[in-house]
Amino acid sequence: MDNLLLEKSGLTDQQRIVVSTELQAKKKSKLVVFLLWWFLGAFAIHRFYLDEKKGYAVVMLLLGWLTLFIWPFIDGIICLVKTVDEINENIERNIIASVKNA
């Protein structure tokens, strides 16, 4: 997170507005992840929404039933706590990089 603040500090006010606008449009919502996990977690829909590791989502979709759906349950908790924040940070980093290059 400190590196992200450092990257943001080098931006002009106009670039910060662009980054903020783009981030609001692209970031993933913890509420949406929670709802998808709660209602469709057995089908790994929350992982497909996060759009980061499609292979992981497919394997969970195909093999989650082998663990009696304990794997998708635990994965939903991990997604809510850690993964959504990491994905949003990566999205913000990509936006900052594209704004700096433009």
Side-chain angles (χ1 to χ4, degrees):
M1 187 70 167
D2 294 331
N3 291 338
L4 190 58
L5 292 174
L6 184 62
E7 290 177 32
K8 285 172 115 178
S9 67
L11 299 175
T12 65
D13 291 336
Q14 177 103 15
Q15 288 173 324
R16 286 184 187 156
I17 292 170
V18 170
V19 168
S20 176
T21 305
E22 287 288 319
L23 181 61
Q24 289 301 318
K26 293 181 179 181
K27 76 178 185 177
K28 304 299 181 178
S29 166
K30 285 184 180 181
L31 176 62
V32 172
V33 171
F34 173 76
L35 293 173
L36 289 172
W37 167 73
W38 184 259
F39 293 107
L40 300 168
F43 302 106
I45 301 302
H46 59 288
R47 279 293 180 170
F48 285 106
Y49 167 74
L50 291 175
D51 199 35
E52 184 183 19
K53 299 177 181 176
K54 295 257 188 203
Y56 187 88
V58 169
V59 171
M60 183 184 293
L61 175 64
L62 296 175
L63 300 177
W65 62 274
L66 286 175
T67 63
L68 302 175
F69 301 106
I70 293 171
W71 179 19
F73 177 76
I74 293 171
D75 183 68
I77 295 168
I78 292 169
C79 280
L80 290 172
V81 174
K82 185 178 177 187
T83 307
V84 175
D85 290 334
E86 289 177 358
I87 289 172
N88 286 337
E89 281 184 22
N90 288 335
I91 290 170
E92 189 169 10
R93 284 182 210 288
N94 291 338
I95 293 169
I96 290 171
S98 67
V99 166
K100 283 183 176 180
N101 291 334

